[in-house]
Amino acid sequence: MRRFSPRIRAVARDHRLGSIDAEDVVQATWLELLKYIGRIRDPAALGAWLHRTARRESLRAANVKRREDPVERLPTEPAIAPEGPARLEAAERSAALTGALQSLPRRDRELMRMLAGDDDASYTEISEALDMPVGSIGPTRARCLARLRQNRRLALVA
């Protein structure tokens, strides 16, 4: 893992994936190896196999990312809104998002805060802070975003 993880991560970065998605690619690539390790006949070809698998996983992740409507940054304080009706709409959206985030379990709220925060915490840092396996961060994030997308409060102000 020490030898090939940087190479797998570089493949993901070559596909312009962010650090979170790149870590998901690294993890998915290692899982694929565990699944198909019995099919690898030449140990010397392991590097090439991992490279191809990482490339395939990166393309898959990039495709999924294109279909998502990602939340770049979650507001930590109310945004300064323009005057008049636009100010009211912005305040309603901010309140709806805050309420939707509050509806998430505490650990999920904290995860979303860390992922969207300005400090750009790594998966390892998040894992340690939340006592959560690194492998469950990406899937938990996806579930949180799905819950937020289905939240009625947010649907009313969209």
Side-chain angles (χ1 to χ4, degrees), residues 17-34:
L17 296 176
S19 60
I20 293 171
D21 293 322
E23 291 303 316
D24 285 344
V25 166
V26 171
Q27 210 165 41
T29 302
W30 287 116
L31 285 173
E32 286 296 303
L33 176 62
L34 285 175

Side-chain angles (χ1 to χ4, degrees), residues 88-154:
L88 180 59
E89 288 176 16
E92 287 176 345
R93 276 192 218 106
S94 179
L97 181 56
T98 301
L101 286 170
Q102 291 302 320
S103 72
L104 294 175
R106 184 201 58 77
R107 192 165 111 171
D108 291 354
R109 259 192 328 267
E110 188 61 22
L111 173 65
M112 297 305 288
R113 185 194 62 75
M114 291 182 82
L115 289 172
D118 291 336
D119 56 358
D120 201 25
S122 70
Y123 268 27
T124 304
E125 293 167 332
I126 293 170
S127 171
E128 290 173 5
L130 299 179
D131 193 27
M132 172 186 278
V134 172
S136 68
I137 293 173
T140 303
R141 172 185 168 258
R143 286 190 297 273
C144 290
L145 289 173
R147 275 191 234 124
L148 288 173
R149 283 188 198 103
Q150 294 173 351
N151 191 293
R152 293 178 62 193
R153 291 179 192 159
L154 292 177

